[in-house]
Amino acid sequence: MLKRCFRLLITLILLLPCAVTYAQDSVANKTPEMATAFRSSGKIYVVIAVLVAILAGLFIYVASLDRKISKIEK
């Protein structure tokens, strides 16, 4: 279980530079209007918090499923 989580974490860390590079490949000095509006009103932090909560819930759910399946396999 711990080994699988560690592999997943390493994979995500290694894929992060690719995502950042791809994001910088877009049109320079042109930000989306929605992002500017969220940033100026401070709502971007709410959006980030919701995304983090959803991802954390998914990771916890997958980890609990892994434990249950491991228990059934034994």
Side-chain angles (χ1 to χ4, degrees):
M1 169 62 188
L2 184 60
K3 195 173 189 179
R4 288 183 185 174
C5 289
F6 185 69
R7 284 184 187 169
L8 178 65
L9 182 65
I10 293 297
T11 303
L12 291 175
I13 289 172
L14 290 175
L15 287 177
L16 184 63
C18 296
V20 171
T21 304
Y22 181 73
Q24 291 176 354
D25 204 25
S26 63
V27 179
N29 298 329
K30 193 166 190 180
T31 59
E33 293 176 18
M34 184 172 49
T36 306
F38 277 147
R39 210 175 300 125
S40 66
S41 65
K43 292 181 183 177
I44 193 73
Y45 300 112
V46 175
V47 173
I48 292 172
V50 169
L51 287 174
V52 167
I54 290 171
L55 286 175
L58 285 173
F59 283 128
I60 291 169
Y61 176 69
V62 169
S64 68
L65 276 179
D66 185 47
R67 277 192 230 127
K68 289 179 184 179
I69 291 172
S70 297
K71 191 184 293 183
I72 290 172
E73 285 177 348
K74 287 181 183 179

